[in-house]
């Protein structure tokens, strides 16, 4: 599976408050993906699991096993029905995260988690949304952040895998009481705008950053 990566330098000082029509659409759907702004949205009840065994079972047929992921004890989650897959640490457990299609979290640290959501779109590629720097800035500052949070975008990378384009970016949201760091990966396919977010409390970020980056980089859109 061939993949290419491109690092981008972000001219944040030059980014204005201009928001594209697509960004306005994202803001209208903020109730779906802005759950990252508040960890109080957790529901601790387990999913019923009616369709999950089938979805997990096909994972090995769709994605090659990464030696690094296997060494670090990751599991693969595959959703053929909704067209996506990603790896997550094998000691995390599934849980309900409001407005998201799937989510897993650390057994003891609920702020350390991964979750995925999607919304309908008439776009066919994330590059159709506009300049990617502006798209990312709008997401972090106006969708992911709560009014009392200060957003700081650390870095951004684009990659292309099997003809699909992805953007992964690192950001920190600082609140009066705590800070949270995360990676987000966005992609478009199957008439859906996918967003995967994996993060942790900022105090633990340095220790777990590379481990969580593997989760963000593993996200893949599948044809359905």
């Amino acid at each position: 599976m061939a993949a290419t990566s491109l690092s981008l330098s972000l001219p944040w000082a030059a980014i204005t408050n201009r928001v594209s029509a697509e960004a306005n659409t994202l803001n209208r759907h903020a109730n779906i993906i802005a759950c990252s702004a508040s960890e109080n949205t957790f529901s601790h009840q387990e999913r019923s699991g009616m369709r999950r065994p089938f979805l997990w079972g096909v994972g090995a047929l769709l994605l090659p096993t990464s030696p690094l992921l296997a060494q670090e004890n990751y599991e693969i989650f595959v959703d053929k029905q909704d067209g996506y897959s990603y790896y997550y640490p094998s000691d995390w457990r599934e849980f309900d995260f409001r407005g998201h299609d799937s989510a897993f979290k650390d057994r003891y640290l609920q702020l350390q988690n991964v979750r995925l959501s999607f919304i309908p779109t008439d776009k066919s590629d994330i590059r159709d949304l506009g300049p990617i720097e502006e798209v990312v800035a709008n997401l972090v500052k106006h969708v992911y952040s709560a009014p009392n949070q200060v957003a700081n975008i650390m870095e951004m990378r684009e990659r292309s895998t099997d003809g699909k384009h992805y953007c992964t970016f690192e950001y920190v949201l600082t609140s009066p009481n705590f800070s949270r760091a995360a990676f987000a990966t966005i992609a478009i396919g199957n008439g859906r705008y996918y967003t995967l977010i994996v993060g942790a409390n900022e105090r633990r970020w340095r220790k777990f950053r590379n481990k969580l980056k593997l989760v963000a980089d593993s996200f893949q859109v599948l044809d359905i």
Side-chain angles (χ1 to χ4, degrees), residues 77-162:
F77 177 78
V78 180
D79 190 330
K80 288 188 66 177
Q81 178 178 331
D82 292 314
Y84 67 87
S85 66
Y86 58 86
Y87 285 92
Y88 64 94
S90 58
D91 59 345
W92 287 14
R93 62 185 178 90
E94 190 178 19
F95 75 113
D96 281 324
F97 196 113
R98 189 178 66 190
H100 289 69
D101 191 65
S102 62
F104 295 86
K105 68 176 180 179
D106 186 278
R107 291 180 179 271
Y108 308 105
L109 304 168
Q110 68 174 11
L111 293 181
Q112 203 157 294
N113 60 69
V114 59
R115 65 268 195 192
L116 183 138
S117 63
F118 55 82
I119 57 175
T121 182
D122 59 358
K123 306 298 184 182
S124 58
D125 192 288
I126 56 172
R127 296 175 297 183
D128 297 335
L129 301 173
I132 198 66
E133 296 93 342
E134 295 186 15
V135 171
V136 169
N138 179 69
L139 281 172
V140 175
K141 296 177 181 179
H142 302 293
V143 180
Y144 298 165
S145 303
N148 67 334
Q149 291 179 314
V150 176
N152 185 20
I153 301 170
M154 308 301 292
E155 69 173 22
M156 183 180 71
R157 297 178 66 87
E158 287 188 86
R159 64 180 168 93
S160 178
T161 304
D162 293 340

Side-chain angles (χ1 to χ4, degrees), residues 4 11 19 58 69 82 94 104 172 210:
T4 59
V19 179
V58 299
L69 291 171
D82 292 314
E94 190 178 19
F104 295 86
V172 177
N210 292 339

